[in-house]
Amino acid sequence: METQQLEQIAVQVRRDILRMVHAVNSGHPGGSLGCTDLFVALYFDVLRLKRDDQGKVIFDMDGRDEDLFFLSNGHISPVWYSVLARAGYFPVSELSTFRKIDSRLQGHPATAEHLPGIRIASGSLGQGLSAACGAALAKRLNGDDKHVYVLMGDGEQQEGQVWEAASFAPHHKLGNLTAIIDLNHQQIDGPTDLVMNNRDLGEKYRAFGWNVTDMKGNDLADVLRTLHESKNDSEVPTLILMHTEMGYGVDFMMGSHKWHGVAPNDEQLATALNQLPITISDLKDY
Amino acid sequence: MKKYTYTDKKDTRSGFGAGILELGRTNPNVVALTADLAGSLKLEGFIKEFPDRFIQCGISEANMIGVSAGLTIGGKIPFATTFANFATGRVYDQIRQSVAYSGKNVKICASHAGLTLGEDGATHQILEDLGMMKMLPNMTVITPCDYNQTKAATIAIADYQGPVYLRFGRPVIPIFTPADQKFEIGKALMLNEGPDVSIFATGHLVWEAIQAGEKLAEEGIEAEIINIHTIKPLDEEAILTSVRKTRCAVSAEEHQLNGGLGDSIAQTLARNYPAPLEMIGVHDSFGESGTPAQLMQKYGLTADKIVEAAKRAMERRV
């Protein structure tokens, strides 16, 4: 898809995120806004998804012969839900049920409600890279040449399990795996450097045996180029350090941990939406 | 009392090893994982025949559980193996989120459970695992009693769609169940019918319950002995049918009383048919080093203690 078209979708997705968290006065807008360009690039360009004759996406849990995406830092569910809906996995109108009772759109992504597009629960941090390793292994065992992507947070790198999986993927030569870290340098309690310094994540992953590359996460052209290139190594997994700004697209939310898990009030929502003019259509329900 | 004899003794973990080897030959989707304990889990046969379907994870159990969950996406049936302690308590949250809540078809196969791990001591002797696993929604929990039953259970859980915790152990114990006995998840097995007291046992304590039944028979007490190999889903019908007849019961397990089989039976009885229940198990305590036999003796997990419990239960009967 043309970069310009993707940029228009990204604006609409950012509107969805803000309106979803505002409607229930809860959720995580900061990381969602920062990762919007990645999700749009993945679902509207990079991922080779299963489709029917009309080109509509089809979901099955096994996900054979298609690229797979896993979200490890599940709290940025608003961006995933918006992009899944906009990509056709479920009706856009369902976004209005986010975090409400009897919804398939749980606060953190879950399979229990059978929401198309989601293959494993996440929210308790540190587990997604392991699951992606397993899915990549299954693809190899099945002779399936498609690719597996997983997104993690940078604060999440403080979880020990991440490093168990970081050892596992190169050891088992999972070249069909691309891991992405949302490097926004923020976590709930403050800047990552102050809460628990991750130091040089790139050097760490290189030492564990990964290909490591940088990507400007809020520059769609760079995102597209880097994601496509990451598929080229057949034996070595690739780690992408995705440099983003938390809250990207809304000036007063950008670059601060304060919007990690806080919803905008009515006035703040109006101000934010003014900075993101409608490109497709808003939900009618709220 | 029906006579139970045996010609051979083996460890239940070897039953698992034999079961997974057979599964390797019959089900191409079965894969085996371990966290540096392939030998202890008796995986050598599987590894030799199916090296590509064996996944060594190194000493990283949390990752092993996550990788297992991921392998189910793509249709694999992962058997994740390690000691019971590291297969449950160490990775509870990984099992909870990535396996149970996500409804993944992962088989967590845990050896060296309970006191009979022996000399390594309390750090390795988990006595809480059944409780942790049975509390998880979606989780099936199985504790087979001997080599044959462990082999049969291993084969049976591959055909069941959903997360399973299969618990077995290290000590060599009599093989008394038939080699051709089909394993039915959730279906308790009647070992001896009797009108006087119901004895519900699981795992290594089933053989002790049989020994207890023989001792009780010498005193003219005919116990009904039932092998509850599946802790969850619990065969409540079998339990209630028996207790409605005997009006008193004993539970026996190599586990804490909190959260174990007896705890589940107590709930069933309290809700449906209140009757005295004596519980054989570990009383809110960690284990310690010693031989398996010494430990079972010291913590009261023996046939003699089951006999005493049966008599107490009968005295309390109203």
Side-chain angles (χ1 to χ4, degrees), chain A residues 216-241:
Chain A
K216 292 176 199 153
N218 298 126
D219 174 344
L220 263 166
D222 197 50
V223 170
L224 291 171
R225 185 172 59 247
T226 313
L227 288 178
H228 282 296
E229 280 172 7
S230 81
K231 282 189 290 205
N232 294 342
D233 197 318
S234 62
E235 290 219 333
V236 181
T238 295
L239 177 86
I240 298 175
L241 293 165

Side-chain angles (χ1 to χ4, degrees), chain A residues 193-214:
Chain A
D193 290 359
L194 297 181
V195 177
M196 183 53 63
N197 198 333
N198 282 321
R199 303 198 182 271
D200 191 333
L201 286 171
E203 278 307 303
K204 287 184 179 180
Y205 274 86
R206 265 184 214 102
F208 276 70
W210 292 64
N211 293 322
V212 176
T213 187
D214 287 82

